[in-house]
Amino acid sequence: MHDSSTLFAPASGFGRAAIAVIRISGPAAAGVLVALAGTLPTPRRLSLRTLRDPADGMMLDKGMVAWMPGPDTVTGEDMAELHLHGGVAVRAGVIRALTAFPGCRAAEAGAFTRRAVLNGRMDLTEAEGVADLIEADTEAQRLQALRQLDGALGRQVAAWREEAIDCLAATEAALDFADEGDIDDAVLDRAVLARAARLRTAISAALADGRRGERLREGFQVVLAGPPNAGKSTLLNAISRRDAAIVSPVPGTTRDAIEVRLDLGGLPVMLVDTAGLRETSDPVEAEGIARTRRRMAEADLVLMLVPPGAASEEVSGTSRVLCVRTKADLDAAPGADLAVSALTGQGLLLLLDAITAEAEVALGGGDALVTRERHRDALERCVAHLDRLPAATGMPELVAEDLRLAVRALGEVGGQVGIEEVLDRLFSGFCIGK
Ligand code: GDP
């Protein structure tokens, strides 16, 4: 399973830029650096070098290089960095030379972080933090990602896992000595069960967070709903100041949901324009409306847009609903939470304030530990196993089995258990060079 190839990848994106950084990690890092730059530079210091193609001695670039011997590197392997001039041809030439070097190959997305995890330099939650930090669009997302990258979740779950392992060890010791009759099963059970109950309470408390962490990662979902021609697309455009949605006076043109990401006071908000709600015989539009109803049911907040002369619609489901009168320039608008005009801008700031306030209620309220469904699922399974313990009192074999499964579920969070499949999924969404 161990991959001993030396990886390289541009770490600074693919366009034209002032500087392009190429990262190299693996056993051939020193060899390839010497081949390109002449001699091995002082470790962990930038050195100015002329880089030459080992194949023909032709000059590739003049730039800074860094040499970082393992294992005290981010991947745990020998690493080198080439800081090139950020031109497309410069980078292509160096990549060509690296590709030709024995033992070197281009890294796939997330390959460096994957090696960091497999070499024990970070756990899975910290790797997810790296991914989230790169994805972070807003301040609140950035801070959450940094906390996770810094180990907040990983350390907590590791501590819970240690506690569960201690409980398991005590139970297994009781099993081993059961024949000798010098440990009273019931007494031991009570002590273990009390500890397990405290562990269960702590994990449950972390889970009872209103999915703040997941929602912060995904963005607070706001769905624009209302009949065709209510002014949904125009309002979305006015808010995003982008031509993201098709605006047309013909009803039923917005068939697919259109999403616009907003940063409202550091909170990520996803504004979704949907197909208008009305009875229709057009199957394509009917599908769009079915999707609208699904999006509305899943939304954190529904903005029910009501044009002049229309009555506001009932919204079923559990989403919060804010009723918004549109086209307020045409009509004085009684009875709505808010009245807006996309044409004149009236009410738009109040509407954004209202959305921000809703997002603050949903996403604010303290730092969340759990930031992915994956964490929640594993922790919920752990709690479910701990919940079964009291019924197994006096049956240490059963207690041990549920504790073992609880330990296992906790191990999935940090990647001590079942790491490969999670890695494949996580790193498929990563950047090249990370
Ligand atoms: P949607 O079907 O709900 O997405 O509605 P549209 O955004 O396509 O708007 C329908 C029509 O109403 C278009 O002709 C818009 O120009 C018009 N409209 C939208 N917002 C306003 C507004 O604030 N004031 C006025 N006077 N017209 C608007």
Side-chain angles (χ1 to χ4, degrees), residues 386-410:
L386 296 177
D387 274 342
R388 290 157 54 127
L389 297 181
T393 307
M395 292 176 280
E397 292 89 351
L398 297 186
V399 171
E401 182 56 17
D402 270 313
L403 281 171
R404 211 170 288 126
L405 292 169
V407 170
R408 201 186 150 75
L410 289 171

Side-chain angles (χ1 to χ4, degrees), residues 7-14 21 23 74-75 79 81 107-116 122 126-127 129-135 149 427 429-434:
L7 303 175
F8 62 85
S12 51
F14 287 87
V21 176
R23 292 175 106 182
V74 67
T75 59
M79 291 189 77
E81 276 181 18
E108 61 275 20
F112 293 86
T113 310
R114 175 191 286 262
R115 285 204 174 168
M122 59 175 78
E126 289 158 359
V130 174
D132 291 351
L133 189 59
I134 290 171
E135 288 291 316
L149 179 151
F427 293 128
F430 248 71
C431 299
I432 298 283
K434 198 62 203 167

Side-chain angles (χ1 to χ4, degrees), residues 215-388:
R215 291 210 243 180
L216 187 54
R217 277 189 67 241
E218 293 155 10
F220 184 74
Q221 305 283 320
V222 179
V223 169
L224 297 178
N229 271 330
K232 295 180 292 298
S233 314
T234 313
L235 182 63
L236 186 84
N237 284 339
I239 288 176
S240 65
R241 291 183 209 90
R242 272 195 274 159
D243 288 326
I246 318 147
V247 182
S248 153
V250 184
T253 45
T254 316
R255 280 177 179 159
D256 280 309
I258 292 167
E259 300 178 344
V260 170
R261 290 169 181 225
L262 302 176
D263 178 340
L264 296 184
L267 299 175
V269 171
M270 179 85 86
L271 210 54
V272 186
D273 181 19
T274 61
L277 296 173
R278 62 162 192 175
E279 296 305 316
T280 178
S281 54
D282 176 351
V284 179
E285 196 184 332
E287 173 53 27
I289 291 170
R291 269 188 233 166
T292 299
R293 298 220 178 267
R294 273 201 299 279
R295 296 294 300 237
M296 283 168 65
E298 291 164 6
D300 294 310
L301 175 67
V302 173
L303 296 185
M304 181 49 81
L305 302 197
V306 187
S312 85
E313 300 211 16
E314 282 298 308
V315 179
S316 56
T318 53
S319 305
R320 300 258 313 148
V321 180
L322 207 60
C323 180
V324 181
R325 284 269 166 192
T326 56
K327 312 188 193 181
D329 53 292
L330 296 179
D331 188 38
D337 298 334
L338 274 162
V340 300
S341 165
L343 211 62
T344 65
Q346 175 196 334
L348 288 186
L349 287 179
L350 282 176
L351 175 61
L352 287 179
D353 282 349
I355 297 173
T356 308
E358 295 281 343
E360 268 165 6
V361 170
L363 306 181
D367 302 341
L369 214 50
V370 172
T371 62
R372 291 180 187 240
E373 191 58 37
R374 188 183 79 75
H375 313 148
R376 184 170 300 280
D377 173 63
L379 294 176
E380 279 174 351
R381 274 184 286 120
C382 173
V383 167
H385 289 298
L386 296 177
D387 274 342
R388 290 157 54 127

Side-chain angles (χ1 to χ4, degrees), residues 173-190:
L175 276 171
D176 287 347
F177 291 108
D179 297 340
E180 298 169 22
D182 53 0
I183 297 182
D184 184 337
D185 275 359
V187 171
L188 187 100
D189 262 8
R190 269 200 299 281

